[in-house]
Amino acid sequence: MKKFAPVTGPHPELARLVRQITGDVASRVAARRGNVSHDTISRLWNGDRVTESILFRLALGYGVNPNPLLKAAGYPPLPIANAKGVRESVAATYVAALPPPEGFEALSPADQEVVRAMLEALVGALAHRPEQTTA
């Protein structure tokens, strides 16, 4: 069983959640699945705050609702992510939260970054999913 270092960052609840989500694995393994760097995983395990986009990528990679992570890091939750069954419909959840193309420029720079992160996370997840075979 992995022995985590004590949490010294300002967000111990974030560290607890990320440790629970990633489980008992090496930081490089957790990072690969979460589509983030192993340094980022270490920072999260320490309770350090990261950007919303990193939390979205991690949540998508692990198939979990991003709202508890966002809340623990001090960000507002994404209202659409409160639905049950996020694991099965996480891509639909993220896509549903995207603005229409013509509205992208009207978003604040911070919101544009969140949209970009959501799209990157979706593309990354699709690129790493196992091939489906037909019988």
Side-chain angles (χ1 to χ4, degrees), residues 85-110:
V86 171
R87 177 174 291 281
E88 291 78 23
S89 63
V90 72
T93 300
Y94 283 85
V95 170
L98 295 173
E102 64 276 3
F104 184 78
E105 287 77 22
L107 296 174
S108 71

Side-chain angles (χ1 to χ4, degrees), residues 1 7-8 14 19 45 48 51 57-58 63 72 75-76 103 109 116-117 135:
M1 182 154 167
V7 175
T8 59
L14 178 62
R19 290 173 180 193
W45 283 346
D48 295 329
T51 64
R57 283 197 309 257
L58 182 72
Y75 294 111
R116 281 189 190 97

Side-chain angles (χ1 to χ4, degrees), residues 14-129:
L14 178 62
R16 185 192 70 73
L17 287 171
V18 172
R19 290 173 180 193
Q20 180 181 345
I21 290 166
T22 59
D24 185 19
V25 297
S27 64
R28 290 184 191 276
V29 173
R32 199 173 6 225
R33 179 161 180 207
N35 201 23
V36 297
S37 73
H38 73 278
D39 290 333
T40 297
I41 289 292
S42 295
R43 288 178 34 225
L44 287 164
W45 283 346
N46 189 49
D48 295 329
R49 186 175 175 172
V50 297
T51 64
E52 292 169 295
S53 62
I54 287 173
L55 296 174
F56 280 119
R57 283 197 309 257
L58 182 72
L60 186 62
Y62 277 88
V64 299
N65 186 330
N67 279 344
L69 295 170
L70 292 168
K71 183 178 176 186
Y75 294 111
L78 182 66
I80 193 116
N82 286 327
K84 282 186 160 184
V86 171
R87 177 174 291 281
E88 291 78 23
S89 63
V90 72
T93 300
Y94 283 85
V95 170
L98 295 173
E102 64 276 3
F104 184 78
E105 287 77 22
L107 296 174
S108 71
D111 287 341
Q112 287 181 9
E113 173 60 25
V114 170
V115 170
R116 281 189 190 97
M118 290 165 56
L119 289 171
E120 288 172 9
L122 284 169
V123 169
L126 290 172
H128 292 97
R129 73 180 195 194

